[in-house]
């Protein structure tokens, strides 16, 4: 289980790094093209429905992350979790 916690933190760190790299690249391209790289805290024209839709997309994307630890806890031999994940993971992605 401790190995999974480390992997979870590394996964979260990688997600943050990728987002930061994308934002830096967008700002760099805008500056190179002479456009202003100003952004808004809230998108112009954002209403409640589209804001909630965006927020639920993010929540839905990461909501299953806790489930790995629950599944491992209930397994008869938690050491088999990586093997089970390798077998079922591709089917979940498809």
């Amino acid at each position: 289980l401790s190995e999974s916690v480390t992997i979870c933190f590394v996964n979260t760190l990688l997600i943050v790094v990728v987002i930061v790299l994308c934002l830096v690249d967008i700002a760099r391209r805008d500056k190179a093209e002479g456009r202003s790289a100003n952004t808004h805290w809230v998108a112009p024209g954002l209403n409640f429905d589209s804001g909630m839709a965006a927020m639920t997309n993010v929540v839905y994307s990461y909501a299953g992350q806790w489930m790995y630890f629950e599944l491992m806890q209930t397994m008869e031999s938690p050491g088999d979790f990586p093997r089970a994940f390798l077998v079922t993971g591709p089917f979940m992605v498809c």
Side-chain angles (χ1 to χ4, degrees), residues 3-4 72 75-92:
E3 294 170 0
S4 296
M72 288 174 65
M75 289 181 75
E76 205 170 292
S77 57
D80 291 338
F81 180 76
R83 186 174 48 186
F85 183 73
L86 287 174
V87 171
T88 60
F91 293 105
M92 289 188 270

Side-chain angles (χ1 to χ4, degrees), residues 6-62:
T6 304
I7 291 172
C8 184
F9 283 124
V10 169
N11 184 28
T12 303
L13 179 66
L14 286 174
I15 291 169
V16 170
V17 167
V18 168
I19 290 172
V20 168
L21 286 174
C22 291
L23 292 174
V24 167
D25 186 55
I26 290 169
R28 186 186 55 81
R29 285 183 186 187
D30 284 348
K31 189 174 183 180
E33 294 174 5
R35 294 186 302 196
S36 172
N38 293 335
T39 59
H40 304 278
W41 282 101
V42 177
L46 181 71
N47 59 23
F48 181 77
D49 292 338
S50 59
M52 287 300 290
M55 186 176 66
T56 55
N57 283 340
V58 172
V59 170
Y60 179 76
S61 297
Y62 297 104

